[in-house]
Amino acid sequence: QTVVTQEPSFSVSPGGTVTLSCGLSSGSVSTSNYPSWHQQTPGQAPRTLIYSTNARSSGVPDRFSGSILGNKAALTITGAQAGDESDYYCLLYVDGGTYVFGTGTKVTVL
Amino acid sequence: QVQLQESGPGLVKPSETLSVTCTVSGGSISGYYWSWIRQPPGKGLEWIGYIHYSGTTKYNPSLKSRVTMSVDTPKNQFSLKLNSVTAADTAVYHCARYAISGFVLDYWGQGTLVIVSS
């Protein structure tokens, strides 16, 4: 069973920078896992921010950026705003042609 | 603008079959892959699987034995059936669309809560 691990929580100051990570139990994350990042506020549907490692979805501010850092996928929020306070999930394409969501990271801006 | 709307029974008894439908408006179901994702209350997202408009499917290995997805192209709908449900299947069930380029979910439905309880 493939497990995708994220930090449970992060706190960032307004205007600060935070980098979330997304690791794969079976090894390194690469662009072939087509990492995507999804933002979810309570009671709302998830919103896709980043796909294919570093492509921004339409309307997503350039404060959000995706990358591969070391052996993990990463989402960086630069110049954090109060409205960025949400849960963030990564999603990876894995062996067998299926997808696995990460465990999710709760980001607090204060 | 593409919109996805889930509909479901709200309450299902243990051991019975859960059925949820997603109605697509503002665009055609043809040509795309469509996905189901669920989220138990207070927990994270779980990918259930996808179906191509042609009927090709791929399921989460942990749910594969209990899941069936189908497409109704004339109605612009696709559906999820999950059999032998237990309380652990209580969740908000979301439908979503993969972009034509693949590998990215570009539209999501708001979700429908299904509770498994006697």
Side-chain angles (χ1 to χ4, degrees):
Chain A
Q1 178 80 359
T2 302
V3 177
V4 177
T5 304
Q6 299 179 242
E7 300 89 355
S9 63
F10 257 121
S11 183
V12 59
S13 300
T17 296
V18 62
T19 297
L20 315 183
S21 73
C22 173
L24 190 56
S25 61
S26 56
S28 297
V29 177
S30 73
T31 55
S32 297
N33 295 118
Y34 297 94
S36 59
W37 292 90
H38 308 269
Q39 178 190 50
Q40 187 183 35
T41 51
Q44 298 296 315
R47 169 197 181 196
T48 301
L49 298 176
I50 300 289
Y51 62 95
S52 295
T53 305
N54 55 14
R56 264 186 297 276
S57 292
S58 176
V60 174
D62 58 9
R63 301 184 291 103
F64 294 90
S65 61
S67 63
I68 300 288
L69 289 179
N71 61 352
K72 297 182 180 182
L75 173 71
T76 299
I77 308 173
T78 305
Q81 299 179 0
D84 297 334
E85 199 162 278
S86 297
D87 295 324
Y88 293 84
Y89 294 91
C90 64
L91 177 64
L92 299 180
Y93 178 72
V94 298
D95 289 345
T98 62
Y99 291 80
V100 181
F101 277 102
T103 49
T105 298
K106 183 177 182 64
V107 172
T108 303
V109 181
L110 50 76
Chain B
Q1 177 78 346
V2 174
Q3 293 186 317
L4 284 67
Q5 180 66 59
E6 304 88 347
S7 56
L11 182 66
V12 179
K13 289 182 169 53
S15 81
E16 294 189 344
T17 296
L18 175 162
S19 295
V20 189
T21 296
C22 183
T23 301
V24 180
S25 59
S28 175
I29 203 167
S30 297
Y32 292 91
Y33 286 85
W34 303 89
S35 187
W36 287 100
I37 295 116
R38 70 179 182 178
Q39 185 171 36
K43 296 188 178 181
L45 300 169
E46 181 179 29
W47 185 83
I48 299 172
Y50 68 63
I51 184 165
H52 190 242
Y53 80 101
S54 64
T56 301
T57 56
K58 184 70 78 171
Y59 302 142
N60 182 326
S62 68
L63 298 170
K64 186 177 181 179
S65 63
R66 299 194 292 130
V67 169
T68 303
M69 295 182 187
S70 59
V71 169
D72 188 335
T73 305
K75 290 185 177 180
N76 234 31
Q77 294 178 333
F78 61 105
S79 298
L80 166 71
K81 290 188 187 299
L82 182 66
N83 62 36
S84 305
V85 297
T86 69
D89 295 310
T90 293
V92 173
Y93 286 78
H94 293 278
C95 57
R97 190 187 82 169
Y98 282 95
I100 200 72
S101 57
F103 302 108
V104 55
L105 296 165
D106 60 355
Y107 289 97
W108 292 72
Q110 279 294 113
T112 185
L113 174 62
V114 180
I115 297 172
V116 178
S117 175
S118 56

